[in-house]
Short mmCIF file of all heavy atoms in Angstrom, two decimals:
data_model
loop_
_atom_site.label_atom_id
_atom_site.label_comp_id
_atom_site.label_asym_id
_atom_site.label_seq_id
_atom_site.Cartn_x
_atom_site.Cartn_y
_atom_site.Cartn_z
N CYS A 30 0.84 -1.21 0.00
CA CYS A 30 0.00 0.00 0.00
C CYS A 30 0.87 1.25 0.00
O CYS A 30 0.73 2.13 0.86
CB CYS A 30 -0.95 -0.01 1.20
SG CYS A 30 -2.19 -1.32 1.15
N SER A 31 1.75 1.33 -0.97
CA SER A 31 2.82 2.33 -0.95
C SER A 31 2.42 3.69 -1.46
O SER A 31 3.27 4.58 -1.59
CB SER A 31 4.01 1.81 -1.77
OG SER A 31 4.40 0.53 -1.33
N GLY A 32 1.16 3.89 -1.81
CA GLY A 32 0.73 5.20 -2.28
C GLY A 32 0.83 5.38 -3.77
O GLY A 32 0.51 6.46 -4.29
N PHE A 33 1.28 4.38 -4.51
CA PHE A 33 1.31 4.47 -5.96
C PHE A 33 0.57 3.25 -6.53
O PHE A 33 0.42 2.24 -5.87
CB PHE A 33 2.75 4.53 -6.50
CG PHE A 33 3.58 3.32 -6.17
CD1 PHE A 33 3.60 2.20 -7.01
CD2 PHE A 33 4.37 3.29 -5.03
CE1 PHE A 33 4.37 1.08 -6.71
CE2 PHE A 33 5.14 2.18 -4.73
CZ PHE A 33 5.15 1.08 -5.57
N ASP A 34 0.14 3.39 -7.78
CA ASP A 34 -0.60 2.31 -8.42
C ASP A 34 0.36 1.16 -8.75
O ASP A 34 1.43 1.39 -9.32
CB ASP A 34 -1.26 2.83 -9.70
CG ASP A 34 -2.30 1.87 -10.23
OD1 ASP A 34 -1.95 0.74 -10.63
OD2 ASP A 34 -3.48 2.26 -10.27
N PRO A 35 0.00 -0.08 -8.36
CA PRO A 35 0.93 -1.19 -8.61
C PRO A 35 0.99 -1.64 -10.06
O PRO A 35 1.80 -2.51 -10.40
CB PRO A 35 0.36 -2.31 -7.72
CG PRO A 35 -1.08 -2.00 -7.58
CD PRO A 35 -1.18 -0.50 -7.60
N GLY A 36 0.15 -1.09 -10.95
CA GLY A 36 0.25 -1.40 -12.37
C GLY A 36 -0.29 -2.76 -12.75
O GLY A 36 0.30 -3.47 -13.57
N ILE A 37 -1.43 -3.15 -12.18
CA ILE A 37 -2.06 -4.42 -12.53
C ILE A 37 -2.71 -4.27 -13.90
O ILE A 37 -3.53 -3.37 -14.11
CB ILE A 37 -3.10 -4.80 -11.46
CG1 ILE A 37 -2.41 -4.96 -10.10
CG2 ILE A 37 -3.83 -6.07 -11.85
CD1 ILE A 37 -3.37 -4.98 -8.94
N PRO A 38 -2.36 -5.12 -14.87
CA PRO A 38 -2.90 -4.97 -16.23
C PRO A 38 -4.43 -4.96 -16.25
O PRO A 38 -5.08 -5.84 -15.68
CB PRO A 38 -2.34 -6.20 -16.97
CG PRO A 38 -1.09 -6.55 -16.23
CD PRO A 38 -1.39 -6.23 -14.79
N GLY A 39 -5.00 -3.94 -16.90
CA GLY A 39 -6.44 -3.84 -17.05
C GLY A 39 -7.16 -3.17 -15.91
O GLY A 39 -8.38 -2.94 -15.99
N TRP A 40 -6.44 -2.82 -14.83
CA TRP A 40 -7.06 -2.25 -13.64
C TRP A 40 -6.28 -1.04 -13.16
O TRP A 40 -5.08 -0.91 -13.43
CB TRP A 40 -7.09 -3.29 -12.50
CG TRP A 40 -7.85 -4.54 -12.80
CD1 TRP A 40 -7.37 -5.67 -13.41
CD2 TRP A 40 -9.22 -4.79 -12.49
NE1 TRP A 40 -8.35 -6.61 -13.50
CE2 TRP A 40 -9.50 -6.11 -12.94
CE3 TRP A 40 -10.23 -4.05 -11.88
CZ2 TRP A 40 -10.77 -6.69 -12.79
CZ3 TRP A 40 -11.48 -4.64 -11.73
CH2 TRP A 40 -11.74 -5.94 -12.18
N HIS A 41 -6.96 -0.17 -12.42
CA HIS A 41 -6.26 0.88 -11.69
C HIS A 41 -6.72 0.86 -10.23
O HIS A 41 -7.82 0.40 -9.91
CB HIS A 41 -6.46 2.26 -12.31
CG HIS A 41 -7.87 2.72 -12.38
ND1 HIS A 41 -8.72 2.41 -13.44
CD2 HIS A 41 -8.63 3.47 -11.53
CE1 HIS A 41 -9.90 2.94 -13.24
NE2 HIS A 41 -9.88 3.60 -12.08
N LEU A 42 -5.89 1.35 -9.35
CA LEU A 42 -6.11 1.24 -7.90
C LEU A 42 -7.02 2.36 -7.41
O LEU A 42 -6.81 3.54 -7.69
CB LEU A 42 -4.76 1.32 -7.17
CG LEU A 42 -4.79 1.10 -5.66
CD1 LEU A 42 -5.17 -0.34 -5.34
CD2 LEU A 42 -3.43 1.44 -5.05
N GLU A 43 -8.05 1.97 -6.62
CA GLU A 43 -8.92 2.92 -5.94
C GLU A 43 -8.56 3.08 -4.47
O GLU A 43 -8.62 4.16 -3.92
CB GLU A 43 -10.38 2.46 -6.04
CG GLU A 43 -11.03 2.68 -7.37
CD GLU A 43 -11.64 4.07 -7.49
OE1 GLU A 43 -12.46 4.45 -6.64
OE2 GLU A 43 -11.29 4.78 -8.45
N ASP A 44 -8.22 1.96 -3.82
CA ASP A 44 -7.92 1.99 -2.38
C ASP A 44 -7.07 0.78 -2.05
O ASP A 44 -7.14 -0.25 -2.73
CB ASP A 44 -9.22 1.98 -1.56
CG ASP A 44 -8.97 2.16 -0.07
OD1 ASP A 44 -8.03 2.90 0.29
OD2 ASP A 44 -9.70 1.57 0.74
N CYS A 45 -6.28 0.92 -1.00
CA CYS A 45 -5.45 -0.19 -0.53
C CYS A 45 -5.44 -0.18 0.99
O CYS A 45 -5.23 0.87 1.61
CB CYS A 45 -4.03 -0.05 -1.07
SG CYS A 45 -2.92 -1.41 -0.59
N GLN A 46 -5.68 -1.35 1.60
CA GLN A 46 -5.66 -1.49 3.05
C GLN A 46 -4.73 -2.65 3.41
O GLN A 46 -4.72 -3.68 2.72
CB GLN A 46 -7.06 -1.79 3.58
CG GLN A 46 -8.11 -0.75 3.25
CD GLN A 46 -7.93 0.53 4.03
OE1 GLN A 46 -7.44 0.52 5.16
NE2 GLN A 46 -8.30 1.65 3.43
N ILE A 47 -3.96 -2.50 4.49
CA ILE A 47 -3.03 -3.54 4.91
C ILE A 47 -3.01 -3.63 6.42
O ILE A 47 -3.18 -2.61 7.12
CB ILE A 47 -1.60 -3.26 4.35
CG1 ILE A 47 -0.67 -4.45 4.58
CG2 ILE A 47 -1.04 -1.97 4.92
CD1 ILE A 47 0.65 -4.32 3.84
N MET A 48 -2.82 -4.84 6.95
CA MET A 48 -2.81 -5.03 8.40
C MET A 48 -2.08 -6.32 8.73
O MET A 48 -2.19 -7.32 8.00
CB MET A 48 -4.24 -5.09 8.94
CG MET A 48 -4.35 -5.09 10.44
SD MET A 48 -6.07 -4.92 10.99
CE MET A 48 -5.85 -4.97 12.78
N PRO A 49 -1.31 -6.35 9.84
CA PRO A 49 -0.70 -7.60 10.27
C PRO A 49 -1.76 -8.64 10.56
O PRO A 49 -2.86 -8.34 11.02
CB PRO A 49 0.04 -7.20 11.56
CG PRO A 49 0.24 -5.74 11.46
CD PRO A 49 -0.96 -5.22 10.71
N SER A 50 -1.45 -9.91 10.26
CA SER A 50 -2.42 -10.97 10.45
C SER A 50 -1.69 -12.30 10.33
O SER A 50 -0.48 -12.35 10.13
CB SER A 50 -3.53 -10.87 9.39
OG SER A 50 -4.49 -11.88 9.57
N TYR A 51 -2.45 -13.39 10.45
CA TYR A 51 -1.88 -14.68 10.13
C TYR A 51 -1.44 -14.68 8.68
O TYR A 51 -1.86 -13.85 7.88
CB TYR A 51 -2.91 -15.79 10.36
CG TYR A 51 -3.41 -15.86 11.78
CD1 TYR A 51 -4.75 -15.67 12.07
CD2 TYR A 51 -2.53 -16.09 12.84
CE1 TYR A 51 -5.21 -15.72 13.38
CE2 TYR A 51 -2.98 -16.12 14.15
CZ TYR A 51 -4.32 -15.94 14.41
OH TYR A 51 -4.77 -15.97 15.70
N SER A 52 -0.60 -15.63 8.30
CA SER A 52 -0.03 -15.68 6.95
C SER A 52 0.78 -14.43 6.66
O SER A 52 0.87 -13.96 5.53
CB SER A 52 -1.11 -15.87 5.88
OG SER A 52 -1.89 -17.00 6.13
N ASP A 53 1.40 -13.84 7.71
CA ASP A 53 2.30 -12.68 7.58
C ASP A 53 1.62 -11.44 7.05
O ASP A 53 2.21 -10.63 6.35
CB ASP A 53 3.51 -13.03 6.69
CG ASP A 53 4.35 -14.13 7.27
OD1 ASP A 53 4.53 -14.15 8.50
OD2 ASP A 53 4.81 -14.99 6.50
N GLY A 54 0.35 -11.28 7.37
CA GLY A 54 -0.34 -10.06 7.02
C GLY A 54 -1.33 -10.25 5.89
O GLY A 54 -1.29 -11.23 5.15
N VAL A 55 -2.24 -9.27 5.78
CA VAL A 55 -3.24 -9.29 4.70
C VAL A 55 -3.28 -7.92 4.06
O VAL A 55 -3.11 -6.89 4.73
CB VAL A 55 -4.63 -9.70 5.24
CG1 VAL A 55 -5.11 -8.72 6.32
CG2 VAL A 55 -5.65 -9.80 4.12
N GLN A 56 -3.47 -7.89 2.76
CA GLN A 56 -3.54 -6.65 2.00
C GLN A 56 -4.73 -6.75 1.04
O GLN A 56 -4.92 -7.78 0.38
CB GLN A 56 -2.24 -6.45 1.20
CG GLN A 56 -2.15 -5.14 0.49
CD GLN A 56 -0.75 -4.88 -0.09
OE1 GLN A 56 -0.47 -3.75 -0.47
NE2 GLN A 56 0.11 -5.87 -0.13
N VAL A 57 -5.55 -5.71 1.01
CA VAL A 57 -6.76 -5.72 0.18
C VAL A 57 -6.73 -4.51 -0.76
O VAL A 57 -6.57 -3.38 -0.32
CB VAL A 57 -8.04 -5.70 1.03
CG1 VAL A 57 -9.27 -5.83 0.14
CG2 VAL A 57 -8.02 -6.83 2.06
N LEU A 58 -6.91 -4.79 -2.04
CA LEU A 58 -6.92 -3.76 -3.06
C LEU A 58 -8.35 -3.58 -3.58
O LEU A 58 -9.01 -4.57 -3.94
CB LEU A 58 -6.03 -4.15 -4.25
CG LEU A 58 -4.61 -4.64 -3.94
CD1 LEU A 58 -3.92 -5.03 -5.23
CD2 LEU A 58 -3.82 -3.57 -3.20
N VAL A 59 -8.84 -2.34 -3.60
CA VAL A 59 -10.07 -2.02 -4.31
C VAL A 59 -9.66 -1.44 -5.66
O VAL A 59 -8.94 -0.44 -5.73
CB VAL A 59 -10.93 -1.01 -3.53
CG1 VAL A 59 -12.18 -0.64 -4.32
CG2 VAL A 59 -11.30 -1.57 -2.16
N LEU A 60 -10.11 -2.10 -6.74
CA LEU A 60 -9.67 -1.78 -8.09
C LEU A 60 -10.85 -1.35 -8.95
O LEU A 60 -12.01 -1.63 -8.62
CB LEU A 60 -9.02 -3.02 -8.72
CG LEU A 60 -7.87 -3.66 -7.93
CD1 LEU A 60 -7.55 -5.05 -8.49
CD2 LEU A 60 -6.63 -2.77 -7.98
N ARG A 61 -10.57 -0.67 -10.07
CA ARG A 61 -11.56 -0.37 -11.10
C ARG A 61 -11.00 -0.80 -12.45
O ARG A 61 -9.81 -0.58 -12.75
CB ARG A 61 -11.88 1.13 -11.15
CG ARG A 61 -12.43 1.72 -9.86
CD ARG A 61 -13.81 1.23 -9.50
NE ARG A 61 -14.86 1.61 -10.41
CZ ARG A 61 -15.59 2.72 -10.28
NH1 ARG A 61 -15.34 3.59 -9.29
NH2 ARG A 61 -16.57 2.99 -11.13
N ARG A 62 -11.85 -1.41 -13.25
CA ARG A 62 -11.43 -1.80 -14.60
C ARG A 62 -11.17 -0.55 -15.44
O ARG A 62 -11.91 0.44 -15.36
CB ARG A 62 -12.49 -2.66 -15.27
CG ARG A 62 -12.51 -4.10 -14.76
CD ARG A 62 -13.60 -4.88 -15.47
NE ARG A 62 -13.37 -4.93 -16.91
CZ ARG A 62 -13.01 -6.03 -17.58
NH1 ARG A 62 -12.83 -7.18 -16.92
NH2 ARG A 62 -12.83 -6.00 -18.88
N ASN A 63 -10.13 -0.62 -16.27
CA ASN A 63 -9.81 0.52 -17.13
C ASN A 63 -10.83 0.70 -18.25
O ASN A 63 -11.04 1.83 -18.71
CB ASN A 63 -8.42 0.34 -17.74
CG ASN A 63 -7.31 0.41 -16.70
OD1 ASN A 63 -7.48 1.00 -15.64
ND2 ASN A 63 -6.17 -0.21 -17.00
N ASP A 64 -11.48 -0.39 -18.69
CA ASP A 64 -12.38 -0.26 -19.85
C ASP A 64 -13.77 0.22 -19.48
O ASP A 64 -14.29 1.18 -20.06
CB ASP A 64 -12.45 -1.58 -20.62
CG ASP A 64 -12.79 -2.79 -19.76
OD1 ASP A 64 -13.03 -2.60 -18.54
OD2 ASP A 64 -12.83 -3.91 -20.29
#
C-alpha cells in the first residue's frame, strides 16, 4: 500500500488497506477496470 498504483494490467487502484495478520499479514486492493 505504498501510495502508488501497482500497475495491474487492465485495472487501476482505488484503495489499498493492509494489516498484520496470520499468513504474515493481509492486503486488500479495491480496483476499477480501465475499460
Side-chain angles (χ1 to χ4, degrees):
C30 294
S31 306
F33 61 88
D34 194 295
I37 299 165
W40 300 87
H41 60 273
L42 185 67
E43 284 273 305
D44 186 34
C45 182
Q46 302 288 329
I47 189 170
M48 188 172 179
S50 181
Y51 301 119
S52 304
D53 298 321
V55 59
Q56 186 170 193
V57 184
L58 311 178
V59 178
L60 306 166
R61 300 292 295 269
R62 284 180 61 110
N63 293 335
D64 52 3

